[in-house]
Amino acid sequence: MLVIRLVAIGWLVSQAASGPATAPDEAGQPPLFEDVTRAVGLSGIESNRVAFADFNADDLPDILIGQTTVLLNEGGTHFARPQSARALSAVNVPRPNVAQVGDVNNDGWLDLYIGRYTELGKDGTTDDGLRGEIWLGDGQGGFARQADSAVGGVAETTIAACFVDYDRDGNLDLFIGNAYVVYGQGYEACPDRLFRGHGDGTFTDVTEPAGLLGLAETGQRDSRRPSYGVTHADWNNDGWPDLLVATYGRQWNRLWRNNGDGTFTDVAGETHFDGDEDRSGVYPEAVKRAREKPFRANGNTFDCAVADYDNDGDLDCFLAEITHWWAGPSSDVSMLLTNQGAAQGYQFRREPERIIRRHDLERWNQGDLHAGWIDVDNDGHLDLLIASSDYPDEQLLRIYRQSPAGSFEEWTARLGFRWVNASQLALADFDRDGATDILLGTNHMRLTAEQRAAHSRSVGLFRNVAAARAGNSFINIRLRGQCIGARVTVAAGQHRQMREVQGGLGHAGHHDDTDCRFGVGRATRVDLIEVRWPAATGTTQRFTDVPANRFYELRRGAALEPLSP
């Protein structure tokens, strides 16, 4: 009965879609997605920031638009504003520069961190008084500001954030990325900050004792750098969440190894996470610019999409970069980084030939600001989405499909839609049919007036139809309680896959739902499910011979239970 009812929900959405069906591409291939934006009530809503999260704990992913507007999922067929008088939009919260989602007071309801980009200027007179804040959720789409949360004590240029339980005490902590002190006036940046959560909505700034404060002096390995994206991942499989920082201004990225004692060590250089091997800093001969110093010959990194894409049991990543034709070797391009595992000290191998960004123009821009991993056809191999914007030359949402042999082929023409100047993206199975869907924002940065008129800033929701057409199976596991940083491994047949639950990632803190969803190909049963919880006790649970094509829930120490639709 469970599977029949879930399929029915997906059927209702497809029938509700207005307008003609999306046509096949030029080669006659059927589309991967269908546009259900109008059908689910999102038509005409404009934003460049979007996120999925279950704010009312009904097991359906809701939507956060523009970082202050919650839309609740009504059965997988429609989204609507909550009736709560405490909705953020109702209390007129000024638009933040970053928002992140997590249960900071352990009451079962998702809360929000709202971060502000406060650039004081050299004279210190441009302070608007806005600071970072914690807003506690009420489980109905409403929020109340947490007084004295201590996350906004300093006016800084906050632009990224993620929740993480870095000390594994069961309470969410907060890591925020800050940018330049004053944009365009030197390389000096504000320090990134780590706040230890107490489980009641309040925090303590532990940046300095954790070893994350850095030097105000620029150009050194320990200098503060403009951080445009942050995330967490247990990169070295030791059970402790590490911090990954995407750095702007062609400065070195950071990989903060969690030492397990409350401190961190930057190992980006020795792991090749900091930048590509070309540190020459030279420009093409046609560009008359002086050679850059090594600390300024890396990337404008915005996102770090983390996943075990090659199913070998450790986390890899894709770095999304802004770069330009005129930068040449002085700037990095977007890059797949493959984790080489314990034998190689968990170093990353940069693979420029695996995912190739082709450019038709001689003078091109590459505005890759966001990225995400999706198994579009549930074949057990993760595919890559890249959302590009900010420049007027063919910036799109693109998809690269991974073959069983591990090669990538661009399938953008098969998406079923063309999304120009794709901004933030979020991934979830909004209609609970076992396939991962895409929510997108749109950006108008640097477009001409004609281009802005031709392309609205509307959000778009696209329902995955490829997985059902392929006939492949899935299994979906929802972890209850504090699960940020948990790992779920699934083995089916010859394939073994792993997911790590994320507390936000990348530029401006984009957020997917926290369900662990696996495509398992033609398998009808899963041989093994293994869950490693993030608590200090190191609890691991295992379940064998589990039916596929179902949704399950799990609490730490309890049995794996079917999740009612």
Side-chain angles (χ1 to χ4, degrees), residues 489-503:
T489 300
V490 164
Q494 301 300 313
H495 297 287
R496 188 179 181 94
Q497 304 174 62
M498 181 261 286
R499 306 281 189 267
E500 187 168 288
V501 181
Q502 296 276 303

Side-chain angles (χ1 to χ4, degrees), residues 117 119 157 180-186 228 248 446:
Y117 186 107
E119 186 179 279
T157 51
Y180 292 110
V181 173
V182 182
Y183 186 87
Q185 297 186 29
Y228 273 35
Y248 186 73
R446 299 182 180 88

Side-chain angles (χ1 to χ4, degrees), residues 122 179-189 218 226 249 251 295-296:
K122 286 296 186 183
Y180 292 110
V181 173
V182 182
Y183 186 87
Q185 297 186 29
Y187 302 134
E188 184 182 358
T218 61
Q251 298 195 49
F295 87 96
R296 275 271 299 157

